Amino acid sequence: MIRKTLNASQLQQEVNRRIHRLQEIVEDGVKIRVPRPQLQEPDKTGCNWNMTNFGNAIGFERDIDAVLKAVRSEYNLSTEVKGSVNPFED
């Protein structure tokens, strides 16, 4: 399966959205802090990012791992660096 590419903010938002839609987390009213994805060498599946150190996640590790596995199978982290544009350049 070919992965779509997202930037770090988009990946963080997607993982956050999926985690906070989980029934157990909604029922418990827990707010989990989702870290920014970290670029890494592609692993054996071809995924080039990972996330660690979720905040307020005790007891929800298995649920978070499942979400992370699903998102990592669908998306890669964009490695493009956008240059700053100077509007005053001639």
Side-chain angles (χ1 to χ4, degrees), residues 10-26:
Q10 292 168 322
L11 272 172
Q12 186 179 26
Q13 289 171 358
E14 180 63 16
V15 171
N16 186 65
R17 183 183 68 79
R18 291 189 191 194
I19 286 173
H20 290 97
R21 277 190 357 200
L22 295 173
Q23 189 65 35
E24 270 189 45
I25 291 173
V26 170

Side-chain angles (χ1 to χ4, degrees), residues 18-32 57-64:
R18 291 189 191 194
I19 286 173
H20 290 97
R21 277 190 357 200
L22 295 173
Q23 189 65 35
E24 270 189 45
I25 291 173
V26 170
E27 286 175 1
D28 288 356
V30 176
K31 179 69 175 158
I32 301 208
I58 295 174
F60 298 102
E61 295 90 351
R62 186 174 296 153
D63 297 318
I64 291 169

Side-chain angles (χ1 to χ4, degrees), residues 8-76:
S9 294
Q10 292 168 322
L11 272 172
Q12 186 179 26
Q13 289 171 358
E14 180 63 16
V15 171
N16 186 65
R17 183 183 68 79
R18 291 189 191 194
I19 286 173
H20 290 97
R21 277 190 357 200
L22 295 173
Q23 189 65 35
E24 270 189 45
I25 291 173
V26 170
E27 286 175 1
D28 288 356
V30 176
K31 179 69 175 158
I32 301 208
R33 188 190 61 76
V34 177
R36 301 229 353 130
Q38 299 299 309
L39 189 62
Q40 65 180 19
E41 287 296 317
D43 61 16
K44 65 182 179 204
T45 69
C47 184
N48 71 346
W49 64 276
N50 200 10
M51 287 181 175
T52 56
N53 302 319
F54 286 79
N56 202 28
I58 295 174
F60 298 102
E61 295 90 351
R62 186 174 296 153
D63 297 318
I64 291 169
D65 285 344
V67 167
L68 207 50
K69 183 177 180 182
V71 177
R72 289 183 79 231
S73 72
E74 295 174 39
Y75 299 101
N76 260 344

